[in-house]
Amino acid sequence: MKRKMKMKSMLLLTITGITLLACNTKNERTRTANTPTTDVENIKIKGSETVLPLTQKAAEVYMNSNKEASITVTGGGSGVGIASLMEGTTDIAQASRSMKFDEKQKLQDAGKEVKEVVIAYDAMAVIVHPANKVSQLTREQIEGIFTGKIKNWKELGGDDMEIIPYARETSSGTYEFFKESVLQNKNHMTGIMSMPANGAIIQSVGQTNGAIAYVGLAYLNSNVKALQVSYDQGKTFVAPSFENAKNKTYPIVRPLFYYYLGASENKVKSFVDFVLSPEGQDIVKEVGYVGLK
Amino acid sequence: MIKKISNIVIKQLLTVSGAITGIAILFISIFLFKEGIGFFNSPAVEKGYSLYVHASNPINELSSKEIKEIFDSEITNWKTVGGNDEAIKIFRIDEIFQKYSEEELGKDYQLLPEKLGEEIKSDKNIIAYIPQKYAPTLTKGIKVLHIKHLTLSDFFLGKEWLPTATPSPLFGVMPLFLGTLLVSILAIIFALPLGLGVAIYLSELANEKIRKLLKPIIELLSGIPSVVYGFFGLVVLSPLVQKTFHLSVGETALTGSLILAIMALPTIISVAEDAMRNTPRAMREASLALGATQWQTIYKVVIPYAKSGISAAVVLGIGRAIGETMAVLMVTGNAAVMPTSIFNSVRTIPATIAAELGEAPAGGTHYQALFLLGCVLFLITMVFSIIAEIISKKKNY
């Protein structure tokens, strides 16, 4: 009985000891982790998957030259980014579409002033299978294809072959922009094939003879053929290229945005300025987008 | 003494962990249904917006399908929806910003309702899509179209899924539901004979050495991330299906179900094999002693004995197939059409949620519709788990 008591008290002692020790080390750890963050504010950037690679690269370079800076970049989509901006869980929302009217309204209702910065442009190419004879289309023809009115390549001067349009997911910024700019706000036809990513679109178009789709210029490769596009009823056809996107002759170009609240301007200003600087715009080109100047 | 204490402590810990799991599951399902139910209070056009027409227009009400077709320029004359024989003029809020500069609309858009009012009054064939906040309530000669709320039948019986269509999104879940069932059932049709065959081989025919080698390898199959299966499906299976059946597209329900079959195999094999190996040695030997061949023993004794285990394997396999997201998202083409053949491209419920939730404005109708889809999926898988539970408890021999 005595021995048991002794063992019990020893056990109790060791347990308290371990707990105390654990508490102690835990305290110390949290303290060391806290010190740097109190000096430098962590900038959180969230939103569009299209802008993601650009922001990641820029943040990397920026953090290398500013050792004390700390930037966290996450994707999730333009809608998620803007929603987080409203909730205050991100400092910058990156978006591949401009803010929608009701999103602006919500921010205004909450009494928050939002700043918009265009950081780069992204040109979109309309692509087909490399063996397709058709090499140019007007905007009206593309609209006809994606709204389901033109169904055979024969009608466009190609082979007698069914047209298979691939779209991006209905919620992606790329889809929204294509709908707004090329389809002039009309909906894609019901039951259109839709792919989750630019890479998957290229893969599918490359292995489907009758396919047509749209992707960002940066994703073009030799597995697909990019079409020349006309926005003036077929008078001039322009090929998608960085030069043509820059000198504004190529029509399907969209701006990429950063949104931040007026209240947090001081916190994010230096990073946004960095992206807009010549060094930042070099990164834009490197990632495959079109620079501002 | 210590033993007693540790016994009590362990017992308490186990109870607590059980309770935590239970609470977590309850919490998740409550959250899912709470978000989803809100869908049925949403209007058929985007929240906070209304449709306005000229007061002389005889139309008072439009269905969401008619609204969609009007704004897609598929209906271009008021006569089609029961009005006068006049061409429809569509007006969106953005057009006002092309006509007037931000300054002309005043601070905080004070003058916007007035300008919108003028615009609508000036054209008697107009249909305008405007936020209610800026509704021209003071201008005479304008009326607001009555808009119905979304109903159960819009959601469950609707045949079109166009969640981002403006101004009137369509949330018909039928094509998604049928697509999910088609892909999963087809997958089981492929996986069942193959899985059962492998299970019989492993439990009855293979010698110990081969069995010890094969079983871990098969179980390893379930450890491969589903996105890898998806990529394999897109790059290898989809062109293969396209060539074999001379199709114009390779991303079909068939391709999806082939990938799902491969993914469901490990579950089916290991559950079915375990059930067969549980057949008592005495029964097997009795059968052989009566002069039955090995094959007769397998299908007259072992399979009947393991019937409930095999059924459970099938149901678990279906459950795995129905819930699978990433692989299906990559290979089925995701076209939201009512499937008519296995060579159609289909869109499944999990793929829809995964692809759309990220960009749907939080709290909006689309967001709630996706949660409601989650509820549907939850119910389907729950039904299958209950069936599995009932079957595996039943011993019929």
Side-chain angles (χ1 to χ4, degrees):
Chain A
M1 192 63 203
K2 224 179 171 184
R3 239 178 75 200
K4 269 190 183 165
M5 281 292 281
K6 208 177 161 190
M7 264 177 81
K8 198 180 163 191
S9 55
M10 258 176 75
L11 194 82
L12 262 170
L13 240 150
T14 27
I15 289 175
T16 18
I18 289 168
T19 351
L20 271 174
L21 215 75
C23 285
N24 207 19
T25 46
K26 201 177 156 201
N27 271 342
E28 227 161 51
R29 214 176 297 137
T30 44
R31 212 180 303 134
T32 44
N34 270 336
T35 18
T37 46
T38 44
D39 291 336
V40 184
E41 281 186 287
N42 179 31
I43 302 177
K44 286 173 294 227
I45 306 177
K46 203 177 199 175
S48 163
E49 303 279 346
T50 312
V51 193
L52 187 66
L54 167 59
T55 309
Q56 268 173 343
K57 190 89 216 260
E60 226 170 79
V61 177
Y62 181 78
M63 282 192 286
N64 273 340
S65 48
N66 299 281
K67 287 285 178 234
E68 73 282 7
S70 140
I71 300 175
T72 325
V73 190
T74 38
S78 306
V80 171
I82 293 169
S84 319
L85 193 66
M86 290 178 203
E87 287 157 14
T89 51
T90 187
D91 299 308
I92 298 178
Q94 44 186 0
S96 57
R97 58 167 168 85
S98 63
M99 211 180 255
K100 283 187 186 165
F101 186 78
D102 48 329
E103 285 169 336
K104 262 186 211 158
Q105 275 306 306
K106 262 186 210 159
L107 279 162
Q108 213 180 44
D109 293 346
K112 286 172 181 163
E113 179 209 9
V114 68
K115 296 258 163 91
E116 174 186 288
V117 184
V118 176
I119 50 159
Y121 291 98
D122 179 23
M124 253 156 56
V126 178
I127 54 168
V128 293
H129 191 268
N132 200 319
K133 275 192 210 145
V134 177
S135 62
Q136 54 183 42
L137 289 176
T138 65
R139 190 201 64 74
E140 289 75 14
Q141 286 172 325
I142 300 175
E143 183 192 306
I145 292 172
F146 280 92
T147 51
K149 300 204 171 58
I150 303 176
K151 291 188 179 335
N152 198 305
W153 284 108
K154 206 166 55 180
E155 298 168 51
L156 302 166
D159 294 331
D160 183 8
M161 181 166 58
E162 191 193 344
I163 298 180
I164 296 149
Y166 284 86
R168 281 295 306 281
E169 278 302 335
T170 53
S171 40
S172 81
T174 316
Y175 171 95
E176 294 259 345
F177 171 71
F178 190 80
K179 179 176 151 189
E180 229 168 79
S181 162
V182 185
L183 306 188
Q184 299 204 323
N185 282 318
K186 292 185 188 67
N187 290 306
H188 289 55
M189 64 193 216
T190 28
I192 195 165
M193 310 259 283
S194 57
M195 303 304 280
N198 281 310
I201 285 236
I202 295 269
Q203 181 68 36
S204 293
V205 173
Q207 63 200 24
T208 308
N209 284 326
I212 181 167
Y214 48 86
V215 291
L217 194 54
Y219 292 91
L220 280 187
N221 65 18
S222 56
N223 292 336
V224 293
K225 183 169 94 174
L227 295 181
Q228 296 184 335
V229 179
S230 164
Y231 259 45
D232 50 8
Q233 279 85 40
K235 275 177 227 135
T236 46
F237 286 92
V238 187
S241 70
F242 286 103
E243 295 80 57
N244 291 343
K246 214 165 195 181
N247 63 26
K248 306 239 153 65
T249 49
Y250 186 71
I252 318 177
V253 173
R254 62 168 165 172
L256 303 177
F257 299 96
Y258 275 173
Y259 287 100
Y260 56 88
L261 298 180
S264 56
E265 183 154 11
N266 290 334
K267 192 175 167 188
V268 299
K269 193 90 179 83
S270 66
F271 177 69
V272 175
D273 285 344
F274 168 75
V275 177
L276 298 176
S277 71
E279 197 188 349
Q281 292 295 307
D282 282 343
I283 299 172
V284 167
K285 266 169 249 160
E286 209 178 299
V287 179
Y289 296 128
V290 183
L292 295 177
K293 279 169 210 134
Chain B
M1 187 75 175
I2 292 174
K3 234 184 196 165
K4 224 177 180 177
I5 291 174
S6 66
N7 265 347
I8 292 169
V9 169
I10 288 169
K11 215 167 145 191
Q12 293 298 328
L13 275 178
L14 290 178
T15 321
V16 167
S17 60
I20 288 175
T21 326
I23 290 168
I25 293 169
L26 198 70
F27 188 75
I28 291 171
S29 17
I30 289 174
F31 170 72
L32 197 63
F33 281 90
K34 192 186 125 273
E35 293 284 339
I37 289 304
F39 175 81
F40 295 112
N41 288 322
S42 307
V45 299
E46 216 171 312
K47 254 183 212 146
Y49 282 78
S50 279
L51 290 166
Y52 297 87
V53 292
H54 195 267
S56 69
N57 198 319
I59 305 286
N60 287 317
E61 196 177 64
L62 287 173
S63 73
S64 51
K65 206 172 155 71
E66 283 166 343
I67 298 171
K68 185 223 150 208
E69 282 174 358
I70 287 174
F71 278 84
D72 273 357
S73 307
E74 277 163 29
I75 296 178
T76 51
N77 197 306
W78 282 111
K79 209 170 73 178
T80 325
V81 289
N84 302 326
D85 187 8
E86 300 275 1
I88 299 175
K89 162 94 171 64
I90 299 164
F91 181 84
R92 287 186 173 89
I93 179 89
D94 304 316
E95 288 168 41
I96 203 86
F97 297 107
Q98 286 158 19
K99 206 163 171 183
Y100 300 100
S101 68
E102 299 256 333
E103 286 87 58
E104 281 176 280
L105 296 171
K107 191 174 168 282
D108 288 340
Y109 301 128
Q110 270 170 351
L111 301 173
L112 186 58
E114 197 183 312
K115 300 272 192 227
L116 287 171
E118 280 170 30
E119 200 69 29
I120 299 170
K121 223 168 107 181
S122 68
D123 191 337
K124 68 178 171 39
N125 296 318
I126 205 165
I127 177 163
Y129 175 55
I130 293 170
Q132 281 155 359
K133 198 179 164 198
Y134 296 115
T137 42
L138 297 172
T139 321
K140 291 225 162 61
I142 288 172
K143 74 174 172 186
V144 53
L145 278 183
H146 181 71
I147 294 161
K148 289 176 212 153
H149 278 229
L150 292 163
T151 60
L152 274 171
S153 66
D154 283 341
F155 185 77
F156 289 105
L157 301 176
K159 288 185 179 129
E160 276 186 273
W161 177 261
L162 260 178
T164 52
T166 46
S168 183
L170 298 175
F171 299 103
V173 81
M174 215 54 186
L176 310 183
F177 182 74
L178 291 180
T180 311
L181 283 191
L182 174 68
V183 172
S184 316
I185 289 171
L186 215 55
I188 285 303
I189 293 175
F190 294 133
L192 189 61
L194 197 60
L196 223 51
V198 177
I200 291 172
Y201 171 75
L202 279 183
S203 81
E204 305 299 319
L205 307 173
N207 64 36
E208 196 62 11
K209 221 172 167 184
I210 294 178
R211 207 181 73 82
K212 277 209 168 125
L213 182 75
L214 266 181
K215 194 135 195 233
I217 291 178
I218 288 166
E219 273 159 9
L220 206 66
L221 267 180
S222 57
I224 298 175
S226 61
V227 67
V228 176
Y229 279 109
F231 187 66
F232 170 77
L234 183 62
V235 177
V236 180
L237 265 187
S238 135
L240 197 72
V241 168
Q242 191 182 352
K243 284 204 191 89
T244 321
F245 297 98
H246 304 288
L247 304 173
S248 47
V249 204
E251 291 93 356
T252 60
L254 179 69
T255 326
S257 54
L258 284 175
I259 276 292
L260 283 183
I262 300 173
M263 296 177 75
L265 269 180
T267 318
I268 296 179
I269 293 173
S270 54
V271 176
E273 197 244 12
D274 284 343
M276 285 183 207
R277 282 175 69 81
N278 277 340
T279 314
R281 197 182 164 83
M283 284 178 77
R284 248 184 264 253
E285 281 175 356
S287 163
L288 291 171
L290 284 172
T293 61
Q294 193 172 26
W295 173 236
Q296 282 169 330
T297 309
I298 289 171
Y299 83 98
K300 289 263 172 158
V301 176
V302 177
I303 292 184
Y305 184 87
K307 208 151 87 188
S308 64
I310 293 168
S311 316
V314 172
V315 178
L316 284 175
I318 295 179
R320 170 110 167 95
I322 285 180
E324 177 47 43
T325 309
M326 205 54 219
V328 181
L329 181 63
M330 291 175 84
V331 297
T332 55
N334 303 319
V337 281
M338 302 288 279
T340 50
S341 94
I342 58 168
F343 299 122
N344 270 136
S345 164
V346 295
R347 190 180 184 87
T348 67
I349 294 177
T352 306
I353 298 175
E356 293 174 9
L357 195 58
E359 301 268 344
T365 314
H366 185 193
Y367 182 83
Q368 287 166 334
L370 291 176
F371 270 94
L372 207 56
L373 275 185
C375 298
V376 172
L377 198 62
F378 178 79
L379 290 179
I380 299 176
T381 41
M382 198 166 78
V383 166
F384 276 108
S385 323
I386 291 172
I387 295 174
E389 191 72 10
I390 293 170
I391 291 172
S392 58
K393 269 188 189 143
K394 213 157 97 187
K395 286 268 176 199
N396 45 351
Y397 56 89

